[in-house]
């Protein structure tokens, strides 16, 4: 709550700075009318003053938030007895965690056995309380100093507008760099943890091993404590479900696009398109629920009625529902590709006496093929990366099978199961999730790049 | 339909006629015999029949594809709606609660004494009094299992509010257990054991309902309670609050950054390697699987920066990074659509580039930017996978009150309930899905309305 009050104070200060800067500029010019002789308008002086107050405050707040815990921790640790300071970083971390818990608990019930911890905890509480006071005082003083320095420099030739606009432009640039930083963050985090994983498990075992049982590594005292991290069953499971999904989505999505763009009347299109968009807007967790509780039992009872044994969590159910989810995606992208084909090609073909379906099959589709291929590749990458449907409907058993009636597991399912719940980040079990994430990221990225290249190349042909 | 098929057949005859003409012409030029002429004509007529049949089947195939999508939408919504119906009502049992001083273990009516009284025993004994034939321990346990776990808190609140009820009998409606609820909600075979209700329990319930001591009411608790292990008590308010907090963070981060980035890239960016890199990055980010953003949140925001797990703050940051590309792409398209004449006019009057961008282009592009942002936020609202990574799957009963409290969101709540083994949660899950879909529908409709308004009086006005 304290930091919230500070933020409000800073916001108020920023607002105040605007009027202060504006008034100072007006005063300097000797009244509103003679601002003509100034380089900038009073409100631009105000804007610059407000920026000069708000920006440093924001930066300082962020820096403080990042460095405060580190500094407080090192201060607390430095007061601990020598033998505890000698502990390795991991044990020290555990020790400090206890201190933190004692400090955070409302009722401080310290027994005599951990008097040192209690002392450290009270020191920690004291430091935290002091830190928030220091923070508020320091940041408010800093922004007031910055504003006063700026305002002192105001004179008739001061280029307030120029400076203000350059600052805003820099902020805009930084905002657009956030996307790059996100990518770097993804690559960095996934790669870093994956490297730690590959230092424990060899990459060839991971990529070509056919046994996946990461749970064994949980119990270090067991004989078979190494765990098995062969990811081939996950890859085949992912591919199996993706194939089933594409077998549903590709023909139905493409035919939907063809029918709606070539045959359907405006009225049909006006109803069908938004209806299909509903399919695209339904959250995936809803599809997962539908797959697990409606489709899977139907498939199971159907299979049993003709004497097949179907697992209760079958690849078929997950793939089918995923296919339904992707239909609108495929159809809207294919629609774009078909509509991008020049009308003259179609008219020429019809004029030669070809039927509409012949025109579509022999003229439109070949011309739109790169675009449609791109759409299919994007759909595949989406199916590979889809999580909730498979988590809820595909199962956890890492079977190396091509039988769609059996339970399979996928890369995304394993990432979720490895990383939900409490976990420590030094076992291959949790790090394996990041290695899988790396595989997922790289494979979908490659698919997307190929898809974009294919579509772009094709677009250039007609323009 | 009829009309179009007529047009089709007339076109067919035209086509056939022109084919006849063509073959006639060819034949006369080559001076072929009449026999050959009719032979060619019949060949063509036959192939034409085949081609038209193919045309019709192709068309039918297309119709089937559209119909399949249609049926799936209807099936999905009907399935979930029908499963959700039971969640909106709940059964209550009328119990004569005797606030016996001895059962409660209190000697005076001071608030402190009443607060610590043994309501569970009082409730049990009151219940046994209603069914004197119940004697054995297991039967007594079965009888008490008919009432929800929170009933003892209900009777406590009643007595605390009206201390004069002490040593009196008060007839109260108490919430039934979820098994009882399921027993009454099934359509068939009244009076026989069902689900987890045994024969004896069924007899007691029939006895209660014969005396009109069972009633079904609208389930307000579904909207006012937090999560619970007991299906009859579980509600979505915690998840709804968490969703609102998370979406607030997402909106506050992704909207300003997204719009600023779009303005920079469209209005200011020089064409160089850095801006190329940014553009490629944005397009790629839009296609990165959502779960990878969860990995980013876990590794960087939680492990590196040490922000609290399960918090709406972290969830909001992760979702805003995910929504950012959508908002940037939509905003750029909208800014691009602003006619250049506006920029030129403003520059001609001496405005700086920044003034053009902020005072002239941005207001005109705003409806489009808002539409795109709303759609992006609607996507984020339905997202589950990245939130599983950052620990928003925890079982949380309390309603979150700040951005750093442990919380969950609607889609994750649906995921959690879908996994719960109790039968009562099936309806709750479906009902929560309906609420989420209604939420999404409202958002999308408002985006559509905005777009319509924008199309009607947007750029043309200026």
């Amino acid at each position: 709550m304290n930091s919230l009050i500070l933020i409000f104070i800073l916001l108020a200060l920023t607002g105040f700075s605007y009027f202060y800067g504006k008034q100072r500029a007006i005063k300097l010019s000797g009244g509103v009318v003679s601002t003509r002789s100034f380089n900038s308008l009073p409100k631009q002086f105000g804007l610059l003053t407000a920026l000069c107050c708000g920006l440093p405050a924001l930066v300082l707040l962020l820096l403080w938030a990042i460095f405060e815990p580190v500094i407080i921790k090192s201060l607390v640790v430095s007061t601990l007895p020598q033998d505890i300071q000698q502990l390795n970083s991991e044990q020290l971390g555990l020790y400090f965690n206890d201190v933190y818990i004692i400090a955070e608990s409302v009722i401080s019930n310290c027994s005599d056995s951990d008097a040192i911890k209690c002392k450290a905890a009270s020191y920690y509480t004291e430091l935290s309380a002091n830190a928030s006071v220091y923070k508020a005082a320091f940041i408010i003083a800093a922004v007031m100093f910055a504003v006063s320095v700026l305002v002192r420099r105001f004179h008739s030739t001061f280029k307030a507008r120029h400076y203000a606009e350059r600052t805003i432009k820099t902020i805009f640039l930084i905002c657009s760099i956030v996307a790059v930083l996100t990518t770097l963050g993804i690559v960095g985090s996934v790669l870093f943890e994956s490297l730690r994983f590959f230092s424990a498990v060899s990459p060839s075992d991971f990529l070509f091993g056919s046994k996946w049982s990461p749970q064994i590594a949980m119990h270090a005292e067991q004989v078979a404590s190494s765990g098995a991290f062969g990811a081939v069953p996950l890859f085949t499971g992912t591919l199996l479900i993706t194939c089933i999904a594409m077998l549903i989505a590709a023909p139905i999505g493409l035919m939907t696009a063809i029918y709606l763009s070539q045959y359907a009347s405006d009225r049909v299109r006006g109803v069908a398109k938004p209806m299909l968009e509903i399919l695209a807007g339904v959250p995936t967790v809803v599809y997962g629920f539908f797959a697990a509780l409606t489709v899977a039992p139907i498939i199971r009872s159907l299979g049993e009625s003709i004497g097949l044994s179907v697992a209760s969590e079958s690849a078929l159910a997950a793939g089918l529902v995923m296919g339904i989810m992707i239909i609108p995606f495929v159809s809207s992208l294919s629609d774009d590709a078909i509509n991008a084909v020049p009308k003259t090609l179609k008219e020429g073909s019809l004029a030669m006496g070809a039927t509409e379906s012949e025109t579509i099959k022999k003229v439109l589709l070949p011309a739109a093929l790169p675009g449609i291929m791109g759409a299919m590749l994007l759909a595949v990458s989406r199916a590979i990366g889809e999580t909730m449907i498979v988590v809820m409907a595909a199962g956890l058993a890492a079977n190396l099978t091509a039988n769609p009636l059996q339970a399979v597991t996928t890369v995304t399912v394993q990432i979720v199961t490895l990383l939900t719940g409490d976990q420590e980040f030094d076992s291959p079990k949790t790090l394996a999730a990041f290695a899988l994430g790396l595989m997922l990221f790289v494979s979908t990225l490659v698919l997307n790049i190929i898809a974009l290249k294919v579509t772009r190349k094709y677009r250039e042909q007609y323009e | 339909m009829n009309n179009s098929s007529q047009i089709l057949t007339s076109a067919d005859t035209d086509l056939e006629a022109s084919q006849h003409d063509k073959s006639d012409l060819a034949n006369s030029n080559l001076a072929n015999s009449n026999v050959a002429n009719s032979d060619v004509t019949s060949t063509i007529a036959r192939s034409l029949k085949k081609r038209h049949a193919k045309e019709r089947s192709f068309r039918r195939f297309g119709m089937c594809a559209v119909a399949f999508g249609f049926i799936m939408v209807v099936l999905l919504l009907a399935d979930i709606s029908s499963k959700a119906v039971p969640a909106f009502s709940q059964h209550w049992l009328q119990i004569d609660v005797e606030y016996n001083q001895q059962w409660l273990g209190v000697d005076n009516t001071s608030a402190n004494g009443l607060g610590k009284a043994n309501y569970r025993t009082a409730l049990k004994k009151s219940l046994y009094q209603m069914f004197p034939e119940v004697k054995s321990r297991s039967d007594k346990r079965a009888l008490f299992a008919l009432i929800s776990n929170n009933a003892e808190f209900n009777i406590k609140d009643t007595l605390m509010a009206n201390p004069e009820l002490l040593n009196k009998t008060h007839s109260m409606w108490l919430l039934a257990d979820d098994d009882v609820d399921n027993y009454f909600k099934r359509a068939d075979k009244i009076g026989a054991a069902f689900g987890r209700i045994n024969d004896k329990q069924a007899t007691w319930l029939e006895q209660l309902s014969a005396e009109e001591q069972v009633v079904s009411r609208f389930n307000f608790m579904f909207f006012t309670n937090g999560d619970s292990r007991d299906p009859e008590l579980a509600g979505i308010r915690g998840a709804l609050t968490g969703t609102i907090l998370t979406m607030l963070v997402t909106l506050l981060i992704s909207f300003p950054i997204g719009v600023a980035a779009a303005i920079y890239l469209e209005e200011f960016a020089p064409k160089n390697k850095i801006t190329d890199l940014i553009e490629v990055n944005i397009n790629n980010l839009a296609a990165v699987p959502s779960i990878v953003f969860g990995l980013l949140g876990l590794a960087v925001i939680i492990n590196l920066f040490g922000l609290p797990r399960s918090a709406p703050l972290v969830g909001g940051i992760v979702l805003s990074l995910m929504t950012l590309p959508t908002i940037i792409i939509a905003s750029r398209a909208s800014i691009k659509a602003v006619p250049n004449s506006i920029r030129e006019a403003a520059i001609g009057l001496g405005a700086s580039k920044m003034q053009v961008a902020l005072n002239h282009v941005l207001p005109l592009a705003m409806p489009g930017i808002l539409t795109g942002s709303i759609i992006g936020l609607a996507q984020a609202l339905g997202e589950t996978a990245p939130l599983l990574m950052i620990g928003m799957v925890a079982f949380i009963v309390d309603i979150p009150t700040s951005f750093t409290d442990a919380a969950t969101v609607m889609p994750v709540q649906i995921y959690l309930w879908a996994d719960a083994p109790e039968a009562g949660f099936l309806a709750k899950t479906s009902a929560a899905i309906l609420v989420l879909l209604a939420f999404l529908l409202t958002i999308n409709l408002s985006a559509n309305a905005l777009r319509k308004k924008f199309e009607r009086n947007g750029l043309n006005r200026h």
Side-chain angles (χ1 to χ4, degrees), chain B residues 76-99:
Chain B
L76 184 73
L77 295 182
D79 179 57
I80 287 167
S81 311
S82 68
K83 278 184 182 147
V85 170
F88 292 110
S89 66
Q90 252 174 342
H91 283 87
W92 296 68
L93 305 177
Q94 193 176 35
I95 308 293
D96 303 323
V97 180
E98 187 180 339
Y99 289 109

Side-chain angles (χ1 to χ4, degrees), chain A residues 40-205:
Chain A
S40 310
L41 292 171
K43 69 173 182 185
Q44 285 152 354
F45 280 93
L47 182 63
L48 185 63
T49 323
L51 283 173
C52 185
C53 173
L55 276 186
L58 188 69
V59 173
L60 286 174
L61 265 180
L62 280 179
L63 285 180
W64 198 289
I66 292 170
F67 287 110
E68 190 192 90
V70 184
I71 292 171
I72 288 187
K73 186 178 172 184
S74 68
L75 280 176
V76 171
V77 167
S78 68
T79 63
L80 292 173
Q82 205 63 40
D83 55 324
I84 294 172
Q85 285 192 41
Q86 297 298 320
L87 291 170
N88 64 31
S89 65
E90 196 177 307
Q91 284 167 314
L92 194 64
L94 284 176
Y95 190 89
F96 192 78
N97 211 28
D98 287 347
V99 171
Y100 182 73
I101 288 167
I102 295 172
E104 286 292 296
S105 63
V106 188
I107 320 134
S108 49
N109 47 346
C110 283
S111 53
D112 292 328
S113 59
D114 47 12
I116 306 166
K117 276 183 190 171
C118 278
K119 219 178 117 195
S122 67
Y123 185 53
Y124 176 87
T125 327
E126 188 193 325
L127 277 179
S128 307
N130 285 343
S132 63
V133 175
Y134 287 145
K135 176 167 81 173
F138 175 70
I139 294 180
I140 290 174
V143 296
M144 283 165 96
F145 176 73
V147 167
S148 70
V149 167
L150 175 82
V151 167
R152 207 167 294 156
R153 288 182 57 200
F154 281 2
H155 51 81
S156 63
T157 55
F158 188 77
K159 294 178 178 166
R161 179 170 106 173
H162 175 74
Y163 291 128
E165 290 186 347
R166 214 170 54 179
T167 316
I168 295 176
K169 204 172 138 183
T170 315
I171 297 173
F172 284 5
L173 174 64
I174 291 169
C175 287
S176 50
I177 286 176
V178 168
V180 182
L181 289 181
T182 310
T183 312
L184 284 182
I186 288 175
V187 173
S189 57
V190 172
L191 202 64
F192 181 67
E193 307 282 352
S194 301
L195 286 180
R196 281 173 65 192
F197 172 73
F198 286 127
S199 69
V201 177
S202 89
S204 65
D205 282 356

Side-chain angles (χ1 to χ4, degrees), chain A residues 280-330:
Chain A
V282 170
T284 51
V285 67
V286 178
Y287 282 113
F289 179 73
F290 184 62
L293 279 114
T294 304
V295 178
I298 291 175
I299 289 177
R300 199 181 148 89
S301 60
L302 271 182
E304 271 165 7
S305 68
I306 55 169
L308 287 169
S309 76
V310 184
S312 59
E313 293 178 315
S314 61
L316 189 59
L320 254 167
V321 173
M322 200 192 277
I324 294 169
M325 182 196 85
I326 303 178
I327 288 174
F329 187 74
V330 172

Side-chain angles (χ1 to χ4, degrees), chain A residues 379-390:
Chain A
V380 167
S381 106
R382 216 175 151 149
I384 290 176
E386 168 50 39
T387 311
M388 292 321 292
I389 296 177
V390 285

